[in-house]
Amino acid sequence: MRVWRGVLGFSLALLWAGGCGDDKPAADDTTQAADGDVTADGEDDAADTTTGPTAEQQAILGVPETASFTLSGLTAPVQVVRTEADIPHIYASSREDLARVLGFVQARDRFFFMDLQRRLGLGTISELLGTAGLASDVESRGTGMTYVTDRIVDHLSPEFTAYLAAFADGVNQYIEAVRQDALPAPTETQFAGLLGYDSPADMMKPFAVRDVVALVTVFMYSTNFETGDVGATAAAERVEGMFAGKTHEALRTAGYLGDLWNDVRPIFSGTNTTDGFGLTGDGATPSTGSSAGAGPGGARSPG
């Protein structure tokens, strides 16, 4: 895996899983590059028998190389270009190669945030912080985030499971690099001793597919779930005037109420048997409370 830093003069396709934190490596944290990329079977660039690089690939190769890492499991060389704001753009020959490098790169930039997020989704923050995280774990499990995570894992396709497993492996290879002092640990782990850990690497628990899915569960929760009566009431009060003054105001409002506000679907079909929560039975027939004429707060679930 090679890393370049620079600004490219053409449009780049961004492949990025998001996150925030302060443990991003500085722009000059790696300055020496290896002689060539190493694939899973030990072959270097000279053994590559694929067709010649495209114009876009040539442009990437023209950006100064600043680092080279060897990751096990890769089937071909992978390029990572960091542009403005240190945003990584990853170019790989296969989905699993992409996932493995994405896991490595994202963990290197955002591991502590990822760790807290997956622990929030699994209700295991107290495992890291002790009693200080217990209330959060109780809430996470009480609102069903752990249950939703396991439901998603149970329904993953073999192909997507392999993709997520490769992502987790990339994260774990970063953890191992920290353990071997080959890469710096996240800055937040400098307090590992205060939490009872012998070293920063000891508090960096490896990732599995379930942990990766937990990241998604937290995102789903934060963007789609509201447990507070105040928040639900405020949202309901905004519905009536949402399309005020717009063309076909009544039609827009009716469509919104029927298609969105009163249509709360389960994650998987056939799992919702409660009337009045958007769908009933096999998950294919709208309940009577989901009609376009229903008003806000009537048929919608409390969430």
Side-chain angles (χ1 to χ4, degrees), residues 58 95 116 149 151 155 241 246 248 252 267 294 297 301 303:
Q58 288 283 15
R95 282 166 49 93
L116 290 181
T149 296
R151 289 284 291 159
H155 288 75
K246 303 294 184 180
H248 302 301
R252 288 171 181 259
I267 298 177
S301 88

Side-chain angles (χ1 to χ4, degrees), residues 7-20:
V7 179
L8 303 185
F10 58 89
S11 177
L12 294 172
L14 176 61
L15 291 169
W16 178 240
C20 61

Side-chain angles (χ1 to χ4, degrees), residues 19 110 163 218 247 259 289:
R110 297 287 188 262
Y163 178 86
V218 174
T247 304
D259 295 340

Side-chain angles (χ1 to χ4, degrees), residues 274-300:
T274 304
D275 191 17
F277 279 74
L279 296 174
T280 59
D282 62 359
T285 305
S287 67
T288 55
S290 293
S291 63
R300 184 174 173 81

Side-chain angles (χ1 to χ4, degrees), residues 13 56 113 123 168 276:
E56 289 80 5
F113 174 86

